Structure formats: C-alpha cells, structure tokens
Amino acid sequence: MARQDRLRRISQSHDRRRSGRAIRLWRKLAIWVLYPRTDRGFWYGFAIDLLWPVLMAVARWDFRGGSQVPTRGGALLAVNHLSHVDPIVLVSYTLANGRVPRFLAMKELWGRTVVGAPLRGGRHIPVDRKASGIEAYRAAVEAVQRGEIVVVYPEGGFAEHSDGWPRAARTGVARMALETGAPVIPVGQWGSNHLLPPTARRPTLFPRATLRVLAGPPVALEDLREGRIGRKALQEATDRIMDRITEQLAVLRGEEPPTRSDPQEPARPAADLQPPAVS
C-alpha cells in the first residue's frame, strides 16, 4: 500500500496546477516506475509497458480527479467515448491512480493474434454482439463484486461525425450499479478524438494532442437501490450518470453542454451491451 499511496500522491498532486496544463515529464516517468505490475497477466502487462511510453511521447496528458478512483474494492468508471484510443488513455489514467482496469470488448477480438492474448490474460470481459449480452453483464457484475475496477462506456460506441457531447446511453452500467451497490465514478475525457479522430486510420502527431481526463465524485444512486430495480429506476440512474459525465466533459471543454431535448431519448436496454471495437 505504501507504493500505491506514493503513486497516488505523485499523480494527484498534478491537480494543483492550472487546468489545461500538461503533466510534467518527471511526474509521468515516476508514475511509470510506480504503477501496478501485478494482477495484470503477462500479455496485458506487456502491452501496458509497451504502449505507456508511446502514449507518453505522442501526446500531452492532463489527468485530474484521481482521488475519486477508489484505492480498493469494486467500482464502475463510466466514461464518454470519442475514439478507438480511449481504452489506452483510460488504462493510463487508472494505473496512474494505482488500479488495474478491466474492460468489456467484442468477443471476436479474443481470437485475434495481437489483441487476443492481452484481453484473455487481463481478465477482460468478452461481449457477444450477436447475443443479448447477458453473459457479459453477469461477468462484469462478478468482476465488480470481487473488487475489480470495470470501465464502461455507457454510449456503447462513438459516432464518426458528432460534436463530441455524450449521446443516448444504454442502461447496463445503471443496472450493474444498482445490483452491486458499487460506486459509479463519472469520468469525462477530451483530446483522444484529436489524437486519433474517429474517421482517421493514423494518429495526428502534430500538433501534439492533450489527453484530458477528469473524474468526479460518485453518482448518488442510493435512493434508487431500494426495492425492485424497474425500468423507471434504470432510466433515472442512467440519466444521472450521463448528466454527471457531461458535467465533467463540460469542465474539460470549457463550454456549456447542449440543452437536453425534451422528451429525452430513452436509454437503451441493459442487455444490449455492445462495446466499441478495440483496435
């Protein structure tokens, strides 16, 4: 725990700098030395150690709000989705705060040579896009219950052409939260769409993008955990989660989010756990 405490102090002391400023190089190097190297599986750990210096070289980082990531125990990180590089950014952010994250990803990736081994060894969660997603849902719940940090993109994917504000979300993360009682940490991110735009095949290296991530306090859902988890409770929980994610994103962008349309587009069913393609 002493190592984790030191890591979190170094990482979170960046919060004292003015918003928008990049993490200093010495701090990123210190985090690289101290971040968790156990409970990752060989190939997941190898991929992390390989990609960390690459991401450090090609982009600036501005990671804030890490004190909201629990030091231990199960939790859900609910994050807006912008680019194929998002999982790499969130791995870096979560490791910088002393935790090893697990992701949901489409089942077909498990059979691929390059990405399959890290996914299998890292105890990530396969989602069968041709089925209901109930097996992935159960696996995610079990991961949270055994004390894992599970990263969820409630939107289920990202649009190739959008203004970057969150879209209608699926209710899977809300149901997981209500069933497990685990905290839902709302996370906004911005800049991954500049490093690797949705329509691009190659990253944009010049000018260097700034990868900005901000976590907020857990979403208040206690009142919805009483009694039966019905459609109304799931919708309300999903709305609260997405509102909080949007708040974090608004801080990063320095803009007011668009007014929510009324009536609101309903959230998509929990069983439809279709994750973004990870490449």
Side-chain angles (χ1 to χ4, degrees), residues 35-41 95 100 102:
Y35 67 50
R37 284 177 168 79
T38 59
D39 198 32
R40 305 186 310 180
L95 285 172
V100 178
R102 315 297 175 189

Side-chain angles (χ1 to χ4, degrees), residues 89-253:
V89 178
L90 262 295
V91 166
S92 300
Y93 179 80
T94 312
L95 285 172
N97 291 288
R99 299 298 301 272
V100 178
R102 315 297 175 189
F103 290 83
L104 290 90
M106 61 184 186
K107 186 177 180 180
E108 292 84 348
L109 294 176
W110 263 247
R112 295 187 183 178
T113 303
V114 176
V115 299
L119 289 172
R120 291 188 298 270
R123 299 204 309 274
H124 299 290
I125 301 164
V127 181
D128 188 348
R129 302 175 76 126
K130 299 178 182 178
S132 66
I134 191 64
E135 291 184 3
Y137 170 80
R138 290 172 178 165
V141 166
E142 290 174 1
V144 172
Q145 290 174 334
R146 66 174 175 260
E148 303 274 17
I149 289 278
V150 177
V151 178
V152 181
Y153 298 99
E155 299 161 271
F158 55 84
E160 291 190 350
H161 303 283
S162 80
D163 58 5
W165 293 105
R167 303 177 299 148
R170 297 182 168 93
T171 59
V173 65
R175 183 177 288 277
M176 285 183 235
L178 297 182
E179 180 174 337
T180 63
V184 178
I185 311 303
V187 180
Q189 63 164 336
W190 188 247
S192 60
N193 50 322
H194 301 147
L195 175 61
L196 185 65
T199 57
R201 295 185 177 181
R202 297 179 181 177
T204 300
L205 301 181
F206 300 101
R208 291 174 75 203
T210 299
L211 304 173
R212 306 189 64 195
V213 184
L214 174 64
V219 182
L221 300 173
E222 291 77 8
D223 58 310
L224 301 177
R225 293 188 174 115
E226 301 174 0
R228 179 177 174 273
I229 302 175
R231 187 176 185 84
K232 184 176 181 181
L234 287 173
Q235 182 68 63
E236 175 62 25
T238 302
D239 291 347
R240 292 184 193 180
I241 292 168
M242 295 311 297
D243 284 348
R244 293 291 308 284
I245 293 173
T246 302
E247 288 175 10
Q248 309 313 310
L249 180 58
V251 171
L252 295 180
R253 295 178 62 166

